[in-house]
Amino acid sequence: MDATLSIDELWVSFANRAGAIDAVSCVSLRIAPSECVGIVGESGSGKTQLFLAAMGLLAANAQVKGRISFEGNELTDSAARNRVRGSRFTMIFQDPLTSLTPHLTIGTQLAEVLVQHLRMPWRDARSSAGRMLERVRVPEPRRRLGQYPHELSGGMRQRVMLAMALLCEPSLVVADEPTTALDVTIQAQIIELLRAVRAEFGMALALISHDLAVVAGLADRILVMYAGRIVEDAPAGDLFRKPRHPYTAELLKCLPSLSGPRFARLPTLAGQPPRPGEKLEACAFAPRCPRAADRCRSERPELKGSSAAQVACHFPLSA
Amino acid sequence: MSRLADDAVRRLRANPAAVLALFVMTGIIVVTVFGAWLNPNNGQALDWLHLAARPSLAKAHWFGTDRLGRDLFVRTLAGTRVSIAIGLVASAISLIVGVGYGAVAGYLGGRTDHLMMRIIEILSGLPLIFFVIFLTVIFGRSETLLFISIGAVGWLTMARIVRGQTMSIRQQEFIAAAIASGASTGRIIFRHVIPNLIGPVVVYATLTVPQIILFESFLSFLGLGIQEPGASLGTLIAEGVGEMEAAPWILLMPGGFLAVLLLCLNIFGDGLRDALDVKEA
Amino acid sequence: MMRYFFTRLAGAIPTLFIIVTLTFFLMRAAPGGPFDEEQALPPEIMANLQNAYGLDQPMWTQYERYLKSLLHGDFGPSFKYKDFTVTELIRLGFPVTLELGAIALALALFAGIPLGVFAALHHNSAADTATMSVAVVGIAIPTFVVLPFLGLLFGVYLHWLPVADWEPGSIRHLALPVIALALPPLAYIARLTRGSMLEILRSHFIRTAFAKGLPLRTVILRHALRPALTPVASYLVPAVASIMTGSLVVESIAGIPGIGRYLVQGAINRDYTLVLGMVIIYSTLLIGMGLAVDLLYAWLDPRVRPAK
């Protein structure tokens, strides 16, 4: 059966006066129907640009190379992308206050999705929108339809964003840092909501985050990105128990844990990721890697492994 | 300071429109100052043989003559000189007033600032021309009145900008250091605040000059500014409108000069503002 | 919402009152009078004239009389146009000026905003540069140069449009004055819209709108346009002021019998009551515009509205 989203050797670069900056370098991935994939990485790792490219939402000065297919159809031009964007292939963003249009009611912003893609009349669309708000557990859904984004709390706004993404019964929802701008308690609620929605709707979910903890409870599989490339790709359980890439191991060490000493200092990763635009013929993580050797500084490691798990490292941690 | 200037010059050079505008402006100024020497005619002399004559090389009436036979080339240049002179002088006055007012308001802050800004708000509300007409009715048409009202054009915006800048400068540490070392308020304003205002002030000065030239021409056009026998571009254009159908060059020459002058000043001012990267108030 | 409007209205009335009072006293306190420039009149006739116009009364009495007559809509007699009262002149001229100004403002908005949106959508292209160049020309070159030049081109050389002889209601006569009057605010509005639109298009909520699969036209018209127009709303009052100023010139050149022309004549002739009346009319118009803009802000951005 076709993968829901299939990306082959994707390169995304931005041209500016100084030259070209590679945001995403040679990334390939597959998301199967109903699969939940977590994409983890620091800011600048290219995780957001990857999916913006897939949806065709990049800025004008972006150059994209590679193949992107959705449900078996290659997305070659804007017509192909327009057919799926917002209906079968949707995305929700990080900060729900700035991501919702301030001068339109919630009802309008929800209904317009149905009117645009399903050609529903406005009145029916608003009713459907109200029902969807119930399904994402927004209290008093009818009242919310007439309200403006600034009248809702952060958690409610994020539910609205999710509702907007679910209205046309998508095959794949991309959630870009859905909890980052929210309080910790609300974060838990949203993650729980995502779990429930996945169970109810059965769509595939791409969950982008810099925080492994967010991804932990939901993902079937996790991709770790560093400096525009995938460095590890493994089933979630395996990744947490036995990470193979040194970067993944360091990330895991940074997670606060409920067991262990009460006042231990939280470990941090030394150094900075490479600046975008720095091109190296070497492993990008080498400067910060505790296991780095000469080979790492002169030869870039390729992704190697089986279809179930891959890692890009010359000296991966033992399985 | 000089790094700011270097940056600005570099960016300005990369702006072809601004550079062109600068050249044309300089050209106009050169012609205005020296052109009269090249032309034997006298702006007041009436040439009975060439009344309202077309532009031609005859008797060096390069721009033609007006209804009274006066050479238009010389008159246009004289008018341009008057307009530019008034523009510069009035700009300088409004600059000094505006910077002073704004610096004091921004530095003192609190209620004084509040009051001073309220005054500016009220004054900005009414279009200046009505104020001028008002004063003209009371005091009659006079050249002093002209200077006062023209000077009133630019200082409001300047004062606002300067106040904003002063307020942010005031927060900075070297001011605290100066106060701690016992410097008086006046001294601080003069020696520390004002030198840091140069950037935005230069830009807005460049934009104020065309505003002032425009306002003076406007008044003169309506008959409320420069009176006969003096002439500025505004009065010449007013004459030209009267002769529009019969002798269009009487309108076209001074009108063209004013249009090009103002256009260049505006384009250069815009370019300068981009180069110095000053935000709109 | 209504309560907000009335609060603002109540605040505007004192302002108007202050303007009227200040204007009145300044004018009366000024040296010279409206009859000074006529040939020296024998003193008895002067005294009679002063009496007839009430100029020999104490200042306060004159002020009271003026205020009373104002409330009746009577601005007093014109000192120069002997057969007319100022009220009559206003009644004759105001609709003309209002028509001219309103059409010019409408033109500035309905041409300027789309032009700005167009330039923003074609950012950094030749079309963008061309549009903005035209805008600079519109802003820099004064109305009293533009109108005669247009008149020369379209009237004298091309004979398409009439240059003088005003006829009420005639579009052909209105065309050039309206265009000349609308040009500076049009250019400014185009620039403002372009800058604001460029910024709005970078917003997160626009990205969301595109992510929902909405077509460009919907995103621009429904999502981007209203927030992008906030600076234009701020500019409306200066735009009206600019049009009012421009109308003085346009009416004088084109021979249009509006209050602008009367105002200029009033200034030259030192016709007190006329100028006073005109200033009051213009001030009221501006203040009214300011109120309307406040209401407009509330509509453009729901966050500004007073909480329900």
Side-chain angles (χ1 to χ4, degrees), chain C residues 98 112 141 175 187 199-200 236 261 291:
Chain C
L98 191 63
I141 303 188
E199 220 184 285
I200 295 284
L236 272 181
R261 206 169 61 151
L291 275 177

Side-chain angles (χ1 to χ4, degrees), chain B residues 127 130 134 137-138 218 266 270, chain C residues 23 30 140 191 249 263 270 282:
Chain B
F130 297 105
F134 191 57
V137 173
I138 299 177
F218 182 67
N266 269 288
D270 275 350
Chain C
T23 320
R191 247 183 171 181
V249 143
L263 185 57
R270 302 188 76 175
Y282 277 115

Side-chain angles (χ1 to χ4, degrees), chain B residues 237-277:
Chain B
I237 294 174
E239 273 179 46
V241 170
E243 305 287 346
M244 209 163 80
E245 293 180 58
W249 55 91
I250 304 181
L251 166 67
L252 285 172
M253 298 311 171
F257 253 70
L258 184 62
V260 171
L261 184 64
L262 287 176
L263 200 56
C264 291
L265 280 170
N266 269 288
I267 293 179
F268 182 69
D270 275 350
L272 197 62
R273 187 168 40 176
D274 285 342
L276 287 174
D277 199 30

Side-chain angles (χ1 to χ4, degrees), chain A residues 11-313:
Chain A
W11 292 77
V12 177
S13 56
F14 293 95
N16 70 2
R17 249 173 275 157
I21 295 181
D22 287 333
V24 175
S25 306
C26 202
V27 165
S28 302
L29 65 83
R30 260 167 199 51
I31 300 182
S34 299
E35 186 182 18
C36 177
V37 177
I39 297 98
V40 175
E42 286 166 276
S43 48
S45 55
K47 53 195 198 300
T48 305
Q49 302 300 327
L50 174 60
F51 286 94
L52 288 179
M55 286 198 92
L57 289 177
L58 289 172
N61 64 339
Q63 279 167 323
V64 177
K65 274 188 302 216
R67 278 185 43 182
I68 304 171
S69 297
F70 187 78
E71 293 187 314
N73 300 314
E74 201 177 326
L75 301 179
T76 40
D77 58 3
S78 51
R81 281 192 284 267
N82 289 345
R83 271 194 289 273
V84 297
R85 188 175 57 226
S87 49
R88 308 202 50 74
F89 182 4
T90 60
M91 190 161 175
I92 69 179
F93 297 100
Q94 179 172 338
D95 183 353
L97 179 56
T98 56
S99 295
L100 289 173
T101 304
H103 62 273
L104 295 175
T105 57
I106 303 291
T108 309
Q109 297 189 53
L110 285 168
E112 68 180 342
V113 176
L114 292 169
V115 172
Q116 172 65 32
H117 294 293
L118 301 180
R119 300 251 173 284
M120 242 189 232
W122 275 94
R123 173 161 290 167
D124 299 340
R126 280 182 73 99
S127 305
S128 299
R131 282 194 294 276
M132 182 59 81
L133 283 181
E134 276 174 28
R135 289 172 83 177
V136 295
R137 326 270 171 78
V138 169
E140 299 180 283
R142 304 288 152 200
R143 202 179 122 219
R144 303 296 172 196
L145 287 179
Q147 287 185 322
Y148 291 93
H150 68 279
E151 295 177 276
L152 270 58
S153 71
M156 266 198 283
R157 287 193 290 258
Q158 196 58 290
R159 292 170 196 271
V160 167
M161 292 273 304
L162 188 54
M164 280 192 327
L166 294 171
L167 278 169
C168 298
E169 308 202 348
S171 317
L172 171 61
V173 174
V174 178
D176 186 5
E177 309 264 13
T179 56
T180 308
L182 303 170
D183 291 337
V184 170
T185 42
I186 312 290
Q187 277 188 22
Q189 287 177 16
I190 298 296
I191 294 176
E192 184 46 48
L193 177 63
L194 283 172
R195 191 200 311 273
V197 159
R198 240 194 104 212
E200 200 179 321
F201 284 78
M203 76 279 174
L205 179 63
L207 186 54
I208 304 174
S209 183
H210 63 274
D211 185 353
L212 265 174
V214 164
V215 161
L218 281 174
D220 302 320
R221 194 156 58 92
I222 297 182
L223 296 171
V224 180
M225 285 188 73
Y226 191 79
R229 289 169 196 273
I230 298 180
V231 297
E232 186 163 359
D233 174 353
D238 294 346
L239 193 103
F240 278 98
R241 276 190 297 271
K242 287 205 158 61
R244 303 210 62 210
H245 196 281
Y247 178 56
T248 316
E250 296 297 316
L251 281 180
L252 283 169
K253 279 200 220 136
C254 295
L255 286 178
S257 136
L258 280 177
S259 56
R262 255 181 101 182
F263 291 108
R265 174 168 284 164
L266 270 180
T268 51
L269 262 169
Q272 300 272 8
R275 272 187 321 241
E278 277 181 50
K279 290 191 221 230
L280 311 152
E281 272 315 311
C283 173
F285 188 60
R288 302 163 84 184
C289 181
R291 295 159 64 84
D294 284 331
R295 189 177 171 208
C296 304
R297 285 180 265 268
S298 57
E299 190 191 324
R300 194 184 326 111
E302 300 294 330
L303 267 178
K304 282 198 280 275
S306 63
S307 60
Q310 296 175 310
V311 64
C313 182

Side-chain angles (χ1 to χ4, degrees), chain B residues 135-146:
Chain B
L135 291 175
T136 312
V137 173
I138 299 177
F139 296 109
R141 293 174 275 175
S142 81
E143 308 240 328
T144 330
L145 188 62
L146 186 66

Side-chain angles (χ1 to χ4, degrees), chain B residues 54 125-141 213-219 221-224 233-234 237-238 241 244-246 248-249 251-260 262-264 266-267 270 273 280, chain C residues 19 22-24 26-27 29-32 37 133 136-142 144-145 147-149 151-152 156-157 163-164 188 191 237 241-242 244-246 248-249 252-253 263-264 266-268 270-272 275-276 278-279 282-283 286:
Chain B
R54 310 198 85 100
L126 193 63
L128 194 54
I129 183 63
F130 297 105
F131 208 59
V132 172
I133 287 182
F134 191 57
L135 291 175
T136 312
V137 173
I138 299 177
F139 296 109
R141 293 174 275 175
I213 294 181
L214 190 138
F215 190 63
E216 180 275 316
S217 315
F218 182 67
L219 286 178
F221 179 86
L222 288 177
L224 299 171
L233 284 173
I237 294 174
V241 170
M244 209 163 80
E245 293 180 58
W249 55 91
L251 166 67
L252 285 172
M253 298 311 171
F257 253 70
L258 184 62
V260 171
L262 287 176
L263 200 56
C264 291
N266 269 288
I267 293 179
D270 275 350
R273 187 168 40 176
E280 299 260 4
Chain C
I19 292 179
L22 270 178
T23 320
F24 181 90
L26 268 176
M27 294 197 99
E37 277 163 35
S133 310
V136 174
V137 170
I139 294 176
I141 303 188
F144 62 89
V145 171
L147 182 56
F149 275 29
L152 256 185
V156 176
Y157 285 126
V163 178
Y188 215 84
R191 247 183 171 181
V237 174
S242 157
M244 289 194 319
T245 313
L248 298 182
V249 143
S252 301
I253 296 178
L263 185 57
V264 175
I268 294 179
R270 302 188 76 175
D271 189 339
Y272 287 107
V275 171
L276 190 47
M278 298 302 174
V279 168
Y282 277 115
S283 304
L286 267 182

